[in-house]
Amino acid sequence: MDRRRSVTLRQALITLITVALLTGCSAPTHTGAPPSATSSPASIPALVPAPSESPLRLKYGPNSDNVGDLYLPDNGVDSIPVVVMIHGGGWQQKYDMTYFARLSQTVADRGIAVWNIEYRRGTGNWIDTLADVDNATEAVATTVQEAAGGRLDLDRVHVAGHSAGGQLAAWLAGRHTLPASAPGAQPKIVPRSATIMAGVFDMARAANIGGDKLVPAFLGGMPDAVPDRYRIASPIDHLPIGTEVSAIHGDADKTVSVNQSTAYVEAARAAGDQAELTILPGVGHGDFVDPESIAWSTTVNTIAEHAATLD
């Protein structure tokens, strides 16, 4: 199934392009409508905190990078929410899902299943990347659910990602709005909410204004050269998506501008979507993978709160 789906997605992308149907740590500052108060593990009624079991390594497709680690809380609960966790690293091959292992474990210890996925990466490999994250998410209903013994509540799927993984997570949250011939369109698994850490929401803005060299490397050109690719890949171009998005960003981020998150949240709200923005003063890009940082604790609490309230 995964091989046929990956090929279909690749063909769909090529067809779309051809016909041009087509990118310090003081207290957090919330902007716009106040978000829900952050909750401690004990105050989250829908989840039963418990240490998670050792992760299960599962394959969701034929490629060597088509794998993921499934973390299951050992709490005896038969119906648990699940988070699809997507690592960043500028869509580059040298970064892999191991840098999200500790965060995945921490979230799982809150009583939440976590599916920490790998995907094909590399310069110009955007077609395979989008196909893989879509296939990995769809596998939640099949391979992953089977490995979980049917414990996953498929109506409580949350997606989370950092940096380039934030772009992929936000793309997943909105892929159901794409034209029928687009990659990832008409998915069976649609996340109910998303937590995006220092994400790239507007690929064209990142390349043209932010001077980001990794975005054009990933998409194979600047926005004026391959505009259709940017429209497919940019979460901001898919609004409204009908999915609640929580954007968390540090105002000291020198890698991905905080304007990426502020512009997306403003556009999402204007389109009628629920969107929450948390700006963390003094926080940089890499703080989200530092267990001692406010970025880490804010992220874990945000994911746990949303997973607990999905119904």
Side-chain angles (χ1 to χ4, degrees), residues 23-39:
T23 179
C25 302
S26 55
T29 300
H30 298 286
T31 68
S36 304
T38 343
S39 303

Side-chain angles (χ1 to χ4, degrees), residues 201-269:
F201 290 100
D202 188 336
M203 307 286 269
R205 181 189 184 103
N208 285 331
I209 300 176
D212 193 317
K213 303 301 183 185
L214 295 176
V215 169
F218 174 59
L219 293 177
M222 291 295 287
D224 58 348
V226 286
D228 296 341
R229 299 181 183 183
Y230 280 79
R231 283 194 290 272
I232 292 173
S234 291
I236 201 169
D237 288 334
H238 307 156
L239 297 171
I241 62 174
T243 301
E244 184 176 358
V245 173
S246 298
I248 308 173
H249 218 121
D251 68 1
D253 195 324
K254 303 301 182 184
T255 303
V256 177
S257 170
V258 69
N259 291 330
Q260 283 283 331
S261 290
T262 57
Y264 178 85
V265 170
E266 289 173 3
R269 289 173 176 166

